[in-house]
Amino acid sequence: MTILVTGAAGFVGMHVAERLARRGETVIGLDNFNAYYDPRLKIAREQRLAALPGFTMVRGDIAEEGLVTDIVRQRGVRRVVHLAAQAGVRYSLENPFAYERSNLAGHLAVLEACRHGQVEKLVYASSSSVYGDRPIGNQGFREDEPSVQPVSLYAATKRSCELMSHCYSSLYGIPQAGLRFFTVYGPWGRPDMAYFSFTRKIERGEPIEVFAEGRMARDLTYIDDIVDGVIGVLDAPAGPGLHEVYNIGDSSPVGLMDMIRSLERVLGREAVKIMRPPQAGDVTSTFADISKIKALTGYSPRIGFDEGAQRFVDWWRQEGRAILQ
């Protein structure tokens, strides 16, 4: 089967494309290799994928009118995993139009490609940020809770994508699943993420900025567990409706200070911490209720943060540091 993975030079995209190619699928990757973070990491991911049989990378912008449709039609794509997007909450405060193009126009282009091609299923990345900043209780965010008060433009675009997908499923009968990713981490990750930047700075003895004075928590989810969930949903029969959304997280929030302590243990040195107030657009905590995706696929995260931090630091020392020197 031929599967299109958008954002294939990105963090989650590379891992998903690799898993699919290794199991024998024909995988077409699409990425624009933008400079949101160091392009050397994206190039290294592409090189890793290029060594796999059945994988081909196309360089291009998903928001370019007709590009995705041409790929879907000409290459006989039957399934699409849409992971390309402009990420980052804080970056959206400075570059809002990047989100309009990549997230809104890009998502619409993918929907149009599915409409005009012979796509059997679309799985796309949404975000836990759609839930906004509010108390979450002991059970975590549930997919059937209202998601109408985003606190960042990034979150607003992701919720808009969900609404567009619902519309296209209703109008054109396209089976779709939106995955509300909680905080993803691990080898080959994004350098702008806290765990990544903290690792580099702690290792060099540089101070780290701890926002909200450390009073934040994130549902940190290891990349292998995320890939299990993405491919599980891709392979599963359609849910009760043509368009469904699923949380995909670890369901075990980690406090920011606990995350830092784990990294300090793995790195063998204490961080120099500068405590800062909260930043605009940040949410206090995230916590995934994963009962819905578990019922569909049997999804069950396996890697806790202590183990995941060790795996990340091992990768950083063996491969990552050399790429980004």
Side-chain angles (χ1 to χ4, degrees):
M1 179 181 295
T2 301
I3 301 172
L4 172 64
V5 179
T6 72
F11 175 30
V12 179
M14 185 209 78
H15 284 277
V16 169
E18 181 175 24
R19 182 83 65 87
L20 290 170
R22 288 191 184 280
R23 78 176 194 183
E25 310 289 359
T26 299
V27 180
I28 310 299
L30 175 61
D31 205 290
N32 68 352
F33 290 79
N34 69 19
Y36 170 61
Y37 56 81
D38 196 326
R40 289 178 297 176
L41 186 55
K42 298 180 182 182
I43 292 168
R45 294 183 187 131
E46 179 191 26
Q47 291 170 344
R48 181 180 175 92
L49 291 173
L52 300 174
F55 178 83
T56 304
M57 181 71 83
V58 176
R59 292 196 176 209
D61 184 348
I62 56 168
E64 180 182 330
E65 188 172 351
L67 173 62
V68 186
T69 298
D70 288 344
I71 293 171
V72 167
R73 284 177 165 176
Q74 294 170 10
R75 303 190 183 226
V77 171
R78 291 294 175 266
R79 293 183 181 178
V80 177
V81 183
H82 175 38
L83 303 172
Q86 178 57 62
V89 169
R90 293 166 190 166
Y91 188 72
S92 69
L93 302 175
E94 304 169 6
N95 298 276
F97 287 100
Y99 294 76
E100 175 266 338
R101 180 169 178 82
S102 293
N103 299 4
L104 298 180
H107 193 75
L108 182 59
V110 170
L111 290 171
E112 279 289 287
C114 293
R115 172 190 174 191
H116 293 293
Q118 296 183 344
V119 173
E120 301 167 359
K121 190 172 190 178
L122 166 62
V123 174
Y124 67 90
S126 185
S127 168
S128 62
S129 65
V130 302
Y131 290 112
D133 191 13
R134 55 188 172 80
I136 54 180
N138 296 321
Q139 301 301 316
F141 294 133
R142 292 176 54 88
E143 294 90 344
D144 56 3
E145 296 177 23
S147 301
V148 295
Q149 294 183 320
V151 296
S152 68
L153 178 63
Y154 170 72
T157 62
K158 284 299 187 178
R159 181 60 180 140
S160 297
C161 291
E162 292 182 353
L163 295 174
M164 286 192 285
S165 280
H166 182 81
C167 174
Y168 266 67
S169 283
S170 298
L171 287 173
Y172 307 114
I174 303 169
Q176 297 183 59
L179 303 180
R180 291 175 174 173
F181 291 157
F182 286 67
T183 306
V184 189
Y185 74 98
W188 295 96
R190 282 172 33 208
D192 62 309
M193 298 291 287
Y195 75 92
F196 201 131
S197 64
F198 285 175
T199 295
R200 298 173 77 177
K201 290 179 179 179
I202 294 171
E203 186 180 60
R204 296 193 295 250
E206 298 175 0
I208 62 172
E209 292 184 303
V210 183
F211 291 100
E213 298 179 338
R215 296 190 298 270
M216 293 193 293
R218 292 291 181 267
D219 198 331
L220 295 166
T221 314
Y222 190 70
I223 183 61
D224 289 1
D225 291 328
I226 287 287
V227 176
D228 288 345
V230 172
I231 294 181
V233 171
L234 183 68
D235 290 343
L242 273 175
H243 176 244
E244 296 285 341
V245 293
Y246 299 93
N247 289 335
I248 177 168
D250 187 74
S251 197
S252 182
V254 177
L256 178 55
M257 298 308 296
D258 291 329
M259 181 187 78
I260 293 169
R261 281 189 284 270
S262 289
L263 291 172
E264 288 173 329
R265 284 194 297 272
V266 174
L267 292 165
R269 65 186 305 169
E270 185 175 352
V272 179
K273 307 172 190 70
I274 300 175
M275 310 308 281
R276 300 291 194 197
Q279 284 204 318
D282 279 345
V283 299
T284 306
S285 58
T286 62
F287 181 5
D289 181 319
I290 58 173
S291 55
K292 185 175 179 181
I293 192 172
K294 185 174 183 178
L296 179 72
T297 69
Y299 173 76
S300 181
R302 298 172 290 109
I303 308 299
F305 186 72
D306 285 342
E307 180 180 352
Q310 183 67 64
R311 292 187 183 191
F312 170 73
V313 170
D314 289 345
W315 167 81
W316 169 248
R317 288 172 169 169
Q318 294 165 13
E319 297 182 77
R321 188 194 291 129
I323 294 169
L324 295 176
Q325 279 180 343

